Amino acid sequence: MPPDFQLIVMKYGLKKKFCYSGIACIVLIASMLYYFFFTSFSKLGSTQYVYIDADDNVDSVCHKLRPWAHGHSMNAFTTLIRHGNYEENIRTGRYAIEPGRGALTVFRHLKNGMQAPVRLTIPPIRTKDRLAAVMSEKLMMDSLSLLKALNNQDVCRKLGYDTATVICMFIPNTYEVYWNIPIESFFERMKTECNRFWTEERQRRADAMGLSREEVVTLASIVDEETADDKEKPMIAGMYYNRLKLRSNQYPKGMPLQADPTVKFAWKRFEVKRIYLNMLLIDSPYNTYRYAGLPPGPIRIPTVAGIDAVLNHVQHDYLYMCAKEDFSGTHNFARTFAEHQENAKRYAIALNRRGIK
């Protein structure tokens, strides 16, 4: 073999060797990068959620993530933090840490504010302070700030309500919202959902009754407090509607609703089982024994079943009702006060037998 040709072969062999070595290095580096940045960040088999609030910093974010993270993934994440300007871009929110997602994806989601929404259920509860407390448990909201907004006449007026009727805006369904939603945006969302709930058919039925949306919701709140039996609610709604619309020499402004739940609301004594005469003396617009017509606003967030029970109330001529003495949660209805007194007597005897005061 000629010397020149031999030299060429040797040089070619060296280049080939170096080429293979370079490829091997590239593959090794790529494998390491993939291992650190793209293999599953979480060592758990289910999706976890990290909540970043306004007080968090880089250290606290890492502290929240570390219990779920593989060691190599956490190292990759801290490297991204150092070189990714995250300290100046910490965004509040609820973020999903899903199995199979790498450190780079987790970092990108947190830095860019790519949140996972919360399924928020509005519960049918009685008071605004309780609503504020429940929402603060589910969202990044301060309960005191939320309650203050609900009691702010200017805030309520912008939404089309007052402080007594703003509770009508909350329809007890489940919605997807972001955990860090501001109070103003939360109110706007609830207003939008409320308008969506009031379909043309529901509005038509309210108009036919001569009631506004707020009046329907207020009446529904009373019905809901009277019974948990959805089947009986249209009967109860019909009875209260009869009282509301009754005009006579005795009741020129309409027959008082005389709804016990409104008295409990006026006293904020929801636990009482019996309403005594001294409780009826409270001077409150929510005392429907003292003041005719509906109270100023709902006495709770009513259920959808309660609202629809009012809109689809049973048309009958009953004016009175009393809880049944069998404590079934349903009621005896009466057309005359004399019939009602008999029903009330039987119920009082049943209460006494059970020692209920």
Side-chain angles (χ1 to χ4, degrees):
M1 184 180 295
D4 290 344
F5 183 75
Q6 222 174 14
L7 185 61
I8 290 171
V9 171
M10 288 177 63
K11 287 182 177 180
Y12 176 75
L14 286 172
K15 286 182 179 179
K16 191 174 182 181
K17 184 177 181 180
F18 284 133
C19 182
Y20 284 147
S21 297
I23 292 173
C25 288
I26 292 172
V27 170
L28 178 62
I29 292 171
S31 298
M32 291 179 64
L33 289 173
Y34 179 83
Y35 176 69
F36 276 91
F37 293 100
F38 295 97
T39 58
S40 182
F41 180 87
S42 175
K43 59 187 176 184
L44 303 179
S46 59
T47 300
Q48 306 297 315
Y49 295 93
V50 61
Y51 295 83
I52 309 300
D53 58 43
D55 295 328
D56 274 313
N57 54 34
V58 168
D59 291 335
S60 63
V61 170
C62 291
H63 179 74
K64 290 179 177 181
L65 291 171
R66 191 167 281 111
W68 309 324
H70 288 290
H72 66 274
S73 297
M74 199 66 219
N75 290 336
F77 184 81
T78 54
T79 299
L80 290 167
I81 283 178
R82 286 196 301 271
H83 299 285
N85 200 30
Y86 180 62
E87 189 169 5
E88 298 177 6
N89 292 278
I90 296 176
R91 300 191 182 208
T92 62
R94 173 182 182 263
Y95 300 93
I97 311 299
E98 299 173 306
R101 295 293 178 88
L104 182 61
T105 300
V106 172
F107 174 76
R108 185 166 58 88
H109 283 190
L110 266 64
K111 183 178 179 181
N112 296 332
M114 299 168 66
Q115 297 185 59
V118 174
R119 286 182 60 80
L120 177 71
T121 299
I122 302 295
I125 51 182
R126 291 188 177 104
T127 60
K128 287 188 284 186
D129 58 339
R130 182 60 188 150
L131 174 63
V134 171
M135 292 300 98
S136 70
E137 292 171 1
K138 298 180 178 182
L139 301 172
M140 196 188 78
M141 283 185 186
D142 173 61
S143 60
L144 188 59
S145 298
L146 180 55
L147 181 60
K148 186 176 179 180
L150 289 169
N151 287 324
N152 186 304
Q153 198 68 263
D154 292 334
V155 171
C156 294
R157 189 178 296 112
K158 288 179 181 178
L159 294 165
Y161 302 95
D162 57 38
T163 54
T165 60
V166 68
I167 209 78
C168 297
M169 183 174 66
F170 298 90
I171 305 298
N173 283 323
T174 299
Y175 312 97
E176 283 197 349
V177 299
Y178 288 121
W179 177 70
N180 63 346
I181 185 171
I183 290 176
E184 296 79 7
S185 300
F186 175 59
F187 284 169
E188 289 296 337
R189 174 66 184 280
M190 291 299 99
K191 176 67 174 176
T192 298
E193 295 294 346
C194 179
N195 289 336
R196 185 176 291 120
F197 172 81
W198 280 96
T199 60
E200 289 184 8
E201 177 60 19
R202 285 192 172 104
Q203 187 63 59
R204 184 188 67 77
R205 290 182 179 275
D207 292 341
M209 295 177 69
L211 300 179
S212 67
R213 293 180 181 183
E214 292 73 32
E215 289 171 329
V216 169
V217 173
T218 299
L219 183 52
S221 72
I222 296 173
V223 172
D224 268 346
E225 283 290 299
E226 290 285 13
T227 185
D229 187 341
D230 288 346
K231 293 181 180 179
E232 194 186 38
K233 286 178 182 178
M235 280 289 292
I236 296 174
M239 188 217 69
Y240 278 124
Y241 186 65
N242 288 345
R243 289 187 177 186
L244 196 63
K245 293 302 179 181
L246 179 66
R247 295 291 186 273
S248 65
N249 291 334
Q250 186 179 2
Y251 303 116
K253 295 183 179 180
M255 182 179 178
L257 295 184
Q258 297 181 333
D260 289 356
T262 66
V263 178
K264 294 179 183 180
F265 184 87
W267 284 98
K268 295 296 187 288
R269 294 181 58 186
F270 304 109
E271 78 290 350
V272 298
K273 302 296 183 183
R274 303 179 75 163
I275 301 295
Y276 290 97
L277 182 61
N278 65 319
M279 296 182 68
L280 303 181
L281 301 178
I282 185 172
D283 188 8
S284 166
Y286 289 92
N287 183 357
T288 55
Y289 279 82
R290 186 164 186 168
Y291 295 98
L294 290 165
I299 58 174
R300 65 176 293 162
I301 296 177
T303 62
V304 171
I307 296 172
D308 284 340
V310 172
L311 296 173
N312 300 281
H313 64 278
V314 176
Q315 296 185 19
H316 54 63
D317 58 355
Y318 293 119
L319 287 173
Y320 303 93
M321 73 175 192
C322 180
K324 287 184 177 179
E325 61 276 13
D326 61 2
F327 296 97
S328 62
T330 55
H331 297 78
N332 289 313
F333 293 87
R335 294 177 176 83
T336 67
F337 185 63
E339 292 173 357
H340 173 64
Q341 283 183 310
E342 289 299 318
N343 293 335
K345 182 179 179 181
R346 289 198 303 272
Y347 183 60
I349 291 172
L351 288 174
N352 291 334
R353 284 175 179 170
R354 293 199 177 192
I356 298 175
K357 298 181 178 181

